[in-house]
């Protein structure tokens, strides 16, 4: 009985995490559709991304600005090896990356890990073939501060002009939004 309840609770949590929540002008929670995310991409007043430069997984520095402008879309994906919802979401990110990388999508991973070995092992185990960065400061990561990340998984989708066109897309919403924007 307990195992069934825990499995049910995990499914509810993961399903809830896959819905993008926004707040309207009155502060009321609302769900943003893929069409609304795509419409935001056409908004000239969309917020600009902020550059982030952190150590890469193999040394050196990885900078978001090295990818924005050179790709049609850049997804900054905030995650950690110890985060079960992040690991559960990763197959959707991998599929989106695999299907759209050649069409202009780049993903840049920002890990909230504290341990380099755990971070590197997770990157390999989860087949994350894109650039990775982390200052290994966990929740005190520069990425958390620059993008005001208070929970993970989280992501920011940036267009070629550097405008943030969507945030916190999951699963099918991530895939469909990227597909629509790369038409």
């Amino acid at each position: 009985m307990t195992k069934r309840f825990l499995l049910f609770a995990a499914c509810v949590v993961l399903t809830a995490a896959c819905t993008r929540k926004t707040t309207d002008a009155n502060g009321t929670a609302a769900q943003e559709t893929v069409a609304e995310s795509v419409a935001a991409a056409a908004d000239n007043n969309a917020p600009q991304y902020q550059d982030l430069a952190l150590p890469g997984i193999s040394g050196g520095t990885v900078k978001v600005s090295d990818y924005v402008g050179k790709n049609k879309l850049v997804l900054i994906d905030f995650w950690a090896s110890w985060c079960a919802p992040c690991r559960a979401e990763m197959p959707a990110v991998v599929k989106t990356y695999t299907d759209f990388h050649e069409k202009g999508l780049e993903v840049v991973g920002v890990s909230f890990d504290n341990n380099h070995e755990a971070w590197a092992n997770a990157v390999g185990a989860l087949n994350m073939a894109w650039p990775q960065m982390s200052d290994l400061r966990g929740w005190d990561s520069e990425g958390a501060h620059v993008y005001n990340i208070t929970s993970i998984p989280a992501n920011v989708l940036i267009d070629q002009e550097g405008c943030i066109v969507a945030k916190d897309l999951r699963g099918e919403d991530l895939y469909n939004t990227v597909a629509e924007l790369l038409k």
Side-chain angles (χ1 to χ4, degrees):
M1 180 72 160
T2 303
K3 285 183 182 180
R4 284 186 190 161
F5 174 76
L6 290 175
L7 181 59
F8 173 76
C11 289
V12 169
V13 168
L14 289 174
T15 301
C18 292
T19 303
R20 178 151 190 249
K21 305 262 189 221
T22 59
T23 305
D24 66 16
N26 298 321
T28 306
Q31 291 183 359
E32 184 170 309
T33 65
V34 170
E36 291 167 332
S37 291
V38 170
D43 181 4
N44 292 333
N45 296 320
Q48 291 287 309
Y49 87 102
Q50 294 183 40
D51 198 13
L52 188 60
L54 297 172
I57 199 162
S58 300
T61 300
V62 175
K63 295 179 358 184
V64 172
S65 60
D66 288 342
Y67 302 98
V68 173
K70 295 176 182 83
N71 295 279
K72 293 178 183 175
L73 294 173
V74 174
L75 180 74
I76 304 175
D77 184 50
F78 300 92
W79 71 287
S81 66
W82 46 260
C83 169
C86 299
R87 293 179 80 105
E89 179 62 20
M90 205 51 67
V93 179
V94 170
K95 178 169 179 37
T96 302
Y97 176 81
T98 301
D99 289 357
F100 297 107
H101 180 68
E102 294 299 320
K103 296 176 182 173
L105 172 69
E106 184 59 84
V107 176
V108 177
V110 180
S111 172
F112 286 12
D113 275 285
N114 296 92
N115 180 290
H116 188 276
E117 185 177 356
W119 171 37
N121 288 341
V123 167
L126 296 170
N127 299 311
M128 300 165 72
W130 50 85
Q132 294 287 329
M133 62 168 71
S134 181
D135 52 16
L136 298 175
R137 292 179 13 207
W139 284 106
D140 197 33
S141 168
E142 183 67 20
H145 297 296
V146 168
Y147 282 94
N148 194 30
I149 304 299
T150 58
S151 66
I152 51 175
N155 59 46
V156 176
L157 188 62
I158 303 164
D159 71 10
Q160 197 163 18
E161 288 74 42
C163 295
I164 296 173
V165 296
K167 294 181 182 177
D168 296 322
L169 297 170
R170 304 272 185 279
E172 282 186 28
D173 287 340
L174 172 62
Y175 190 92
N176 292 339
T177 300
V178 169
E180 186 68 24
L181 290 170
L182 291 178
K183 271 187 181 178

